[in-house]
Amino acid sequence: MEYLIAFTIVMVFMLIGDWVSAATKAFIPSIFITAVLFAIGFWTIIPKDIVAKASFNTAFTGMGVSLLLVHLGTLMSLKELVNQWKAVCIALLGVLGTLVLTLTVGTLIFDWHTVVAAIPPLTGGMVATLLMTDGLKAAGATTLVALPVSMFILHSFIGYPMTAILLRKEGRRLKEELKSGKGHIDPNAPKITGMADSLDTQKHILHLPEQFQSPVFIIVRVALIALLGNWLAGLMHGVINANVICLILGVIAHQVGLLEDNALTRAGVFNWLIYGLMAYVFSQLSLTTPDIIGGILVQILVLIALGILGMFIASYVLAKPFGMSKQMAFAFSLTALFGFPADFILTTEVCRTIADNEEEEEYLTQNMLPKMLVGGFATVSMASVIIASVFLKLI
C-alpha cells in the first residue's frame, strides 16, 4: 500500500498542474505548478524517495529515455523538414544565438560549470534536463543538479506567453492578408489535426496480418532499436552519445517503414513514460533547499534572458532574407523552450481564438502550424539532445 500511496500523490501533483495549465490556456505551465508542489512537499512532509517508491526510479529513467528518443524519431518526416527548411534554419540558428550569448556573456558573469549545467535545458526540453541531471550526479556535481531542473521549470513559464503573443500578432497579420486577397487557402494541403496526420510515411516493411499488429509488437521494435543504439554507443566507447544514436536510429527506422508514426503513442505507453520521466526530473528537487533555489534564481533568470536575446537577434536578422515576418521567425526560435506537444497546443489554440470563421482558421493553421512543429522538432528533438551530449563532456 505504501507504493500505491506514493504513486497516487505523484499523479495528483501532475493532475493539479495539468488542470491549472488547462484553466489558464497554458499561460501558467503545468510543469511550473507541479514543480512548486513537489518542492514544497520535499521541504515539508513528503518523503525524499516518494518518486522512486512510485516506481519511477533510475532504472525506469534509463530505459525510458532510450525508448523516448527512438519514439521522437518516429515523429519526424524528412520530407516535411525539407519543405519547411526555412523554419528549420531559423530555429537552429536561434539556438546558436542562445549558445553564443550564454557561453560568452554568461561566462563573464557566472562560472563555467554553472553555465554548462544550465544551458542544455534552455535549448531543449525534458530529455536534455534528464541527461544533464544524470550526468551531473554521475560526475559527483550534485550541487549543480538544481540548475538544469530549475531552468527546465522556469524557461517554459516565460516561453509560453511570449510565443502566444507572437503567434497572435502573426495570426492577425495573416487574417488581414486573407481578407485583402493576398493570401489563399491551399486546397491540397493536409488537414492537420495532430502530429501523426502531418507525416506521410505510413509504409511498412513488416507485412504481418492485422491480428499480429499489436501494441506490444510496437514496443518490442522500439526496444530493439533502443538496445541497438546503446550497443553501438558501447562499441564506439561513448564517442557518440547513446541518446543521439537512439534518436538517429529512430528517424531511420521510421523513414524505412520499420516503425509507425508516433510509435509509442500508438502503443498506448507514451503518456506513462512521459509522466514517469517528468516525475523523475521533479524528484531532483529533493536535493534542494529554499536557500539553494533562492541562490540560483538570479543566475537562471539572467541566463534565460541572454538565451532569449540570442534567439531574438538571430531571428530578427534572418526574418527578411527568409521572407518571413519578424514575429513568426522569433516564434520558431522560441520553440526551443518547449517543443512538441506545447508548440502544437499553443498554435492551434491561437488559430482557433484569432479566427472569425473556419476559412480563416484553416488559413492560419496552414501558414503557422507546420512551421512551428518542424521548428520544435529541429530544436528540442534533435539539437538539444546533441547539445546536452556535448555539454556533458564539458562538466
Side-chain angles (χ1 to χ4, degrees):
M1 185 172 176
E2 179 185 7
Y3 300 103
L4 185 57
I5 291 173
F7 175 78
T8 303
I9 292 172
V10 169
M11 288 297 106
V12 166
F13 283 180
M14 296 284 187
L15 177 63
I16 293 172
D18 194 55
W19 279 359
V20 171
S21 178
T24 61
K25 295 184 178 180
F27 189 82
I28 301 177
S30 61
I31 59 171
F32 177 78
I33 298 299
T34 304
V36 169
L37 293 174
F38 270 105
I40 294 173
F42 287 136
W43 297 341
T44 54
I45 60 173
I46 291 179
K48 304 287 188 182
D49 61 347
I50 189 172
V51 173
K53 286 182 177 178
S55 80
F56 305 126
N57 50 26
T58 52
F60 175 90
T61 306
M63 173 273 299
V65 169
S66 292
L67 295 181
L68 182 61
L69 284 164
V70 174
H71 167 80
L72 288 175
T74 70
L75 295 174
M76 297 182 194
S77 166
L78 295 182
K79 180 180 178 181
E80 190 65 24
L81 286 172
V82 172
N83 290 341
Q84 302 293 344
W85 66 272
K86 292 181 180 179
V88 172
C89 289
I90 291 176
L92 292 178
L93 289 172
V95 170
L96 181 61
T98 292
L99 294 177
V100 170
L101 272 190
T102 52
L103 290 175
T104 53
V105 179
T107 51
L108 292 176
I109 304 172
F110 310 116
D111 69 88
W112 171 256
H113 289 94
T114 295
V115 176
V116 169
I119 292 311
L122 180 58
T123 62
M126 186 180 63
V127 174
T129 306
L130 282 166
L131 294 178
M132 291 308 299
T133 53
D134 284 348
L136 289 168
K137 287 195 292 185
T142 55
T143 56
L144 297 174
V145 168
L147 286 166
V149 177
S150 300
M151 179 65 79
F152 172 66
I153 294 165
L154 291 175
H155 72 53
S156 59
F157 191 79
I158 298 173
Y160 287 173
M162 281 189 67
T163 306
I165 291 169
L166 292 167
L167 289 176
R168 288 180 184 279
K169 186 174 181 181
E170 177 68 5
R172 287 190 287 268
R173 186 190 71 81
L174 289 171
K175 277 180 58 176
E176 293 302 317
E177 184 177 86
L178 181 64
K179 289 178 180 179
S180 66
K182 295 179 181 179
H184 303 281
I185 294 174
D186 182 2
N188 299 317
K191 300 283 187 179
I192 302 176
T193 56
M195 191 57 217
D197 297 328
S198 70
L199 305 176
D200 59 357
T201 51
Q202 281 299 320
K203 58 181 181 294
H204 303 289
I205 62 176
L206 299 175
H207 300 286
L208 296 180
E210 186 176 350
Q211 63 264 33
F212 296 110
Q213 300 284 352
S214 61
V216 72
F217 182 49
I218 298 175
I219 296 171
V220 167
R221 281 177 284 153
V222 172
L224 287 173
I225 292 169
L227 187 62
L228 176 62
N230 282 270
W231 179 71
L232 290 174
L235 286 181
M236 292 184 284
H237 303 290
V239 174
I240 301 178
N241 189 278
N243 298 294
V244 176
I245 298 176
C246 285
L247 177 64
I248 294 171
L249 291 180
V251 173
I252 295 172
H254 174 242
Q255 292 300 310
V256 302
L258 184 60
L259 287 176
E260 295 88 341
D261 297 335
N262 215 1
L264 293 181
T265 300
R266 291 177 184 270
V269 298
F270 173 75
N271 286 331
W272 179 264
L273 277 176
I274 207 72
Y275 286 130
L277 293 174
M278 285 177 65
Y280 181 79
V281 169
F282 295 136
S283 73
Q284 309 307 309
L285 291 170
S286 64
L287 301 173
T288 69
T289 65
D291 288 339
I292 291 175
I293 295 296
I296 65 174
L297 186 60
V298 172
Q299 299 171 358
I300 294 297
L301 293 177
V302 170
L303 289 174
I304 290 175
L306 288 173
I308 291 177
L309 179 60
M311 294 177 189
F312 172 76
I313 292 172
S315 56
Y316 184 86
V317 171
L318 293 170
K320 187 173 182 180
F322 280 76
M324 295 181 184
S325 65
K326 292 182 175 63
Q327 61 266 18
M328 199 65 206
F330 192 18
F332 296 157
S333 295
L334 287 174
T335 58
L337 300 181
F338 41 84
F340 184 82
D343 51 5
F344 176 81
I345 295 169
L346 279 173
T347 308
T348 52
E349 176 70 24
V350 168
C351 292
R352 185 168 59 253
T353 56
I354 289 292
D356 296 325
N357 51 57
E358 290 185 3
E359 181 186 20
E360 289 183 357
E361 183 177 350
E362 184 176 354
Y363 183 68
L364 266 60
T365 301
Q366 284 185 5
N367 284 275
M368 294 166 64
L369 185 56
K371 298 180 179 67
M372 288 294 291
L373 290 173
V374 167
F377 286 126
T379 54
V380 175
S381 299
M382 292 189 297
S384 70
V385 175
I386 296 171
I387 290 169
S389 301
V390 173
F391 274 43
L392 281 173
K393 299 181 179 180
L394 301 177
I395 296 174

